[in-house]
């Protein structure tokens, strides 16, 4: 949305917008994720943050990662679960989720419906870090995190 | 939302959130507005922008103003109309509206239902400017702007 009209109408079922491209979540193979897309709603030189919309198919999930920058998230479609630090929670539109700096986080769709969220993020930000094997094993010592990462809280996904 | 839990559940009809205070839009008497409230969803030192939710009752409106900072808006509830520069448009959730710097703008609810929008804005920003009488008269030379400012596109408001 760097150029163009001031108003972009929602299209279809209300989770696409005119002139906003449906993008891959990340480069394929760069990190683990499943069945998730990205749309950049606002990315302007006048704004110090960007607003993106991510949507997962049922059973999809974002990457388990952390970084120095923070995320301000509003669940926008459906329901799913999220990991924030050592907290695993069911979330439903339009719940708010704050991801503090250097906090492991992941979003997982439930089985039955698409799951989407808005994410506000600083335009200038560091790259995400993936967990090393030892960090992943440490996380999985928490039984609810282990169940979350295994997809057990969302029956039907892989 | 400077402190507190990472997750704030939506409440009631989905346009309030736990721990998020319902605020006056602006100080009473500081500028013209009508029947509009403000909730600050994200305002954190780690984020260079804030995310707010504004909601108007039927017939309500925000202030006609301009400023150096930009607004990134998503209509979140209902329908209404907006002025952006010399453009008057009907908007419906979840349309996107970008307000460029130093552009006169106003949002007006339709008559029948509450009208709400999310607004992303730089945390550091200048104060809004109100139109001088001469600027208002200049704006009203455009017939569609005159109708909008008179509330004619939203029958029933003042």
């Amino acid at each position: 949305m760097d150029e163009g009209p001031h108003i972009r109408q929602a299209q279809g079922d209300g989770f696409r917008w005119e002139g906003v491209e449906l993008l891959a979540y990340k480069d394929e193979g760069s990190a683990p994720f499943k069945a998730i897309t990205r749309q950049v709603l606002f990315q302007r030189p006048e704004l110090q943050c960007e607003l993106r919309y991510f949507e997962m198919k049922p059973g999809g999930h974002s990457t388990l990662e952390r970084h120095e920058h923070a995320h301000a998230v509003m669940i926008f479609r459906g329901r799913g679960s999220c990991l924030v630090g050592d907290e695993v929670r069911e979330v439903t539109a339009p719940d708010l989720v704050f991801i503090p700096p250097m906090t492991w986080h992941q979003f997982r769709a439930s089985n039955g419906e698409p799951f989407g969220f808005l994410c506000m993020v600083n335009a200038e930000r560091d790259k995400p870090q993936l967990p090393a094997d030892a960090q992943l094993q440490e996380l999985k010592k928490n039984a609810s995190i282990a169940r979350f990462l295994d997809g057990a809280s969302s029956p039907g996904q892989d």
Side-chain angles (χ1 to χ4, degrees), chain A:
Chain A
M1 200 169 171
D2 281 313
E3 300 293 336
H6 298 144
I7 297 173
R8 292 180 185 262
Q9 285 188 306
Q11 295 183 320
D13 57 2
F15 303 99
R16 295 293 313 276
W17 292 266
E18 60 175 330
V20 176
E21 197 178 356
L22 188 68
L23 301 168
Y25 170 64
K26 295 178 177 178
D27 289 340
E28 199 65 44
S30 65
F33 57 85
K34 183 181 173 191
I36 175 168
T37 57
R38 172 172 57 103
Q39 295 177 71
V40 181
L41 305 185
F42 292 103
Q43 183 183 47
R44 297 268 189 175
E46 302 92 340
L47 291 166
Q48 292 186 283
C49 284
E50 299 172 4
L51 188 68
R52 300 93 47 86
Y53 175 62
F54 296 95
E55 188 173 291
M56 292 159 238
K57 292 180 181 167
H61 61 80
S62 65
T63 301
L64 172 64
E65 63 186 32
R66 66 179 185 182
H67 33 66
E68 291 289 351
H69 61 273
H71 285 313
V73 167
M74 173 187 276
I75 309 303
F76 193 65
R77 181 178 195 174
R79 45 180 288 279
S81 53
C82 68
L83 169 68
V84 184
D86 57 4
E87 188 176 18
V88 174
R89 287 277 295 274
E90 301 293 314
V91 285
T92 305
D95 290 349
L96 306 174
V97 183
F98 180 70
I99 314 288
M102 291 306 283
T103 302
W104 295 112
H105 60 279
Q106 187 178 55
F107 289 86
R108 287 181 171 266
S110 64
N111 191 35
E113 56 188 331
F115 175 56
F117 60 88
L118 301 171
C119 179
M120 182 174 83
V121 68
N122 288 346
E124 288 194 23
R125 57 187 182 270
D126 61 321
K127 283 190 191 297
Q129 305 171 12
L130 301 179
D133 280 349
Q135 289 168 321
L136 197 56
Q137 294 318 311
E138 185 64 30
L139 280 168
K140 287 185 172 179
K141 286 181 182 171
N142 178 319
S144 71
I145 295 178
R147 279 195 302 274
F148 172 85
L149 294 175
D150 290 343
S153 66
S154 304
Q157 65 188 54
D158 71 359

